[in-house]
Amino acid sequence: MKAKFDIGEPVVVRAAYPPGHIRTPYYIRGKKGIIADMVGFYRNPEELAQGIKDPPKQPLYRVRFEQKTAWPDYDGPKTDTLDIDIYEHWLEPDSRSSGGNI
């Protein structure tokens, strides 16, 4: 099993709003971040919550976002970041960037 993204790669969280048990926070969908770490390979909890037996494992990443990306009104230091664990099916390559400031 191979991960699609490498550490340091810019990504965008899919702006999808499906019903049901979703592990990707609402406030971060559609936002740009950087792959900070590869956590491992796990069964998709969204599929498990739907009663799907033994779904295939997929990569889980730790994605780093600038605080201002998550909360535009944030007035703390520009170096403040937020890390969120996000499954690969929620991530897309960020073709708008050749790198991040994070």
Side-chain angles (χ1 to χ4, degrees), residues 24-53:
T24 300
Y26 182 87
Y27 62 87
I28 209 67
R29 297 178 200 175
K31 306 294 174 95
K32 175 186 165 187
I34 299 289
I35 300 294
D37 199 5
M38 164 53 126
V39 179
F41 292 84
Y42 302 93
R43 301 199 190 289
N44 181 350
E46 296 169 10
E47 292 177 332
L48 291 170
Q50 294 172 14
I52 297 173
K53 302 279 187 217

Side-chain angles (χ1 to χ4, degrees), residues 47-88:
E47 292 177 332
L48 291 170
Q50 294 172 14
I52 297 173
K53 302 279 187 217
D54 204 27
K57 291 183 178 182
Q58 65 168 289
L60 177 64
Y61 300 93
R62 184 152 299 127
V63 183
R64 182 162 294 146
F65 302 89
E66 294 177 351
Q67 286 278 19
K68 192 112 177 128
T69 296
W71 297 286
D73 294 337
Y74 182 75
D75 63 357
K78 290 183 179 189
T79 56
D80 285 356
T81 60
L82 168 70
D83 285 9
I84 302 175
D85 292 351
I86 302 177
Y87 281 89
E88 186 173 86

Side-chain angles (χ1 to χ4, degrees), residues 8-22:
E9 190 170 344
V11 292
V12 175
V13 180
R14 283 185 24 233
Y17 303 91
H21 175 79
I22 307 300

